[in-house]
Amino acid sequence: MRALSKSQLLKWCNPLARLASRFELPRSGRDASRSLPLSDDCRPGHVYLVGAGSGDAELLTLKAARLLQQADAVVYDRLVGDDVLALLPVGGERHYVGKAKGHHSVPQAEIGALMVRLARQGKSVVRLKGGDPAVFGRMGEELDALASAQVPTTIVPGITAASSAAACMGIPLTDRGHAQQLRFVTAQLCREDGTPDWAALARRDETLVFYMGLSKVDAICAGLREAGLPDDWPIMLVANASQPDQRSLVGSLADMPGRLAAEPLPSPCVIVVGSVVKRVEASPATPENQARYACQR
């Protein structure tokens, strides 16, 4: 084998050295679990809309984890997992603004005002939202409030519940043999008399994912069946995806309401409808084989 010249060695070694410098080991006395291979700083007077992912702290992006450790103040939701909150520095400023069905601890307008007030105090602010902040997370309203106050803002995406639930159940959201489309649908209708366009949703060539629909499983199953999907069309419910207490039910549009009544699931829960669910139908994620599908922790 011909030896490399000095110039050739430098050509290869210099980029490798620069890359390795980004992954240096923590200095003595520092907490290794809090060291990240990135260097940047939260900017004062800036708000970061950050996705906390589905609950497993290891599914956070590196950028999200860095911002959580650097921010002067964190404004967080109910669906942010304890593992993620454990990353916050001890003694850091925290503001809980969680919402639950039928109970909003802080009105949305006040959340916007809180972020503006903190930013105007010269603090770097992380607005921490479960999943991806841009997927059914009221991020638009918060962006409007910050823009009106001329507060600089950065969006940091997170892993949304649909992706996490599918991964933890060992299936893809799309597969060319099952779905050519993927649709995210909120089951919380904005209008009291609103009804989804079931005919448009009842397709056999796509995967549907319903968010915030645990209390509407009966209506979802009935609506899709009435619009033409067969009784045996696959449906899967996954609660607390990626977390230690993850639970799931796999069945059909015809039998899922009964299954759920017999084995109630907690919220948050995503509902996946489509033939791709057939990949788990043969071995549903019961307590006996849940480990087969659970995310590795």
Side-chain angles (χ1 to χ4, degrees):
M1 181 177 179
R2 191 175 68 180
L4 294 174
S5 67
K6 183 177 180 180
S7 62
Q8 289 173 317
L9 285 171
L10 290 174
K11 178 181 178 182
W12 288 101
C13 291
N14 286 343
L16 288 174
R18 288 196 298 270
L19 179 63
S21 68
R22 299 185 66 191
F23 292 86
E24 63 179 355
L25 292 174
R27 296 184 183 90
S28 174
R30 285 179 58 188
D31 183 354
S33 67
R34 293 177 182 251
S35 179
L36 293 172
L38 298 171
S39 59
D40 202 351
D41 291 308
C42 279
R43 296 190 288 277
H46 199 103
V47 174
Y48 300 84
L49 301 174
V50 177
S54 55
D56 184 348
E58 292 185 343
L59 295 180
L60 278 173
T61 64
L62 288 175
K63 186 169 186 176
R66 174 180 61 78
L67 291 171
L68 287 179
Q69 294 175 15
Q70 294 180 340
D72 296 317
V74 175
V75 180
Y76 67 100
D77 280 347
R78 179 179 68 91
L79 296 181
V80 176
D82 291 339
D83 287 349
V84 174
L85 292 176
L87 296 176
L88 301 181
V90 175
E93 187 173 340
R94 306 183 185 191
H95 300 269
Y96 175 69
V97 294
K99 295 180 175 66
K101 182 179 180 181
H103 176 69
H104 290 186
S105 65
V106 181
Q108 188 63 43
E110 291 186 23
I111 295 174
L114 171 63
M115 292 188 293
V116 170
R117 183 171 68 253
L118 292 170
R120 285 179 171 169
Q121 292 171 358
K123 297 175 181 177
S124 56
V125 182
V126 163
R127 171 67 171 108
L128 191 60
K129 305 171 77 67
D132 186 302
V135 179
F136 302 128
R138 293 198 175 191
M139 189 182 76
E141 297 166 66
E142 297 181 0
L143 283 172
D144 291 343
L146 294 167
S148 295
Q150 298 184 319
V151 174
T153 308
T154 297
I155 300 170
V156 181
I159 294 179
T160 189
S163 297
S164 184
C168 289
M169 294 298 290
I171 65 170
L173 280 172
T174 61
D175 182 288
R176 62 182 181 178
H178 292 275
Q180 284 69 55
Q181 299 183 91
L182 171 64
R183 200 182 313 205
F184 292 172
V185 185
T186 173
Q188 302 296 315
L189 299 177
C190 295
R191 305 183 313 276
E192 291 184 3
D193 60 345
T195 301
D197 185 348
W198 295 118
L201 294 173
R203 297 177 55 124
R204 302 188 186 213
D205 63 346
E206 72 178 12
T207 302
L208 299 174
V209 182
F210 291 89
Y211 284 69
M212 301 169 286
L214 187 60
S215 64
K216 295 180 170 59
V217 169
D218 286 26
I220 290 169
C221 291
L224 292 174
R225 291 168 66 193
E226 290 171 6
L229 287 182
D231 289 352
D232 62 354
W233 196 243
I235 180 173
M236 174 177 72
L237 277 58
V238 183
N240 296 323
S242 83
Q243 299 182 49
D245 56 350
Q246 174 183 309
R247 293 174 58 195
S248 61
L249 290 173
V250 180
S252 68
L253 293 179
D255 67 19
M256 183 53 75
R259 285 176 180 261
L260 182 60
E263 300 179 55
L265 295 180
S267 179
C269 181
V270 292
I271 302 165
V272 183
V273 179
S275 64
V276 72
V277 176
K278 291 178 180 179
R279 286 179 170 269
V280 298
E281 276 191 301
S283 301
T286 59
E288 291 74 23
N289 59 18
Q290 179 77 28
R292 177 181 174 187
Y293 301 107
C295 288
Q296 298 299 310
R297 297 182 58 81

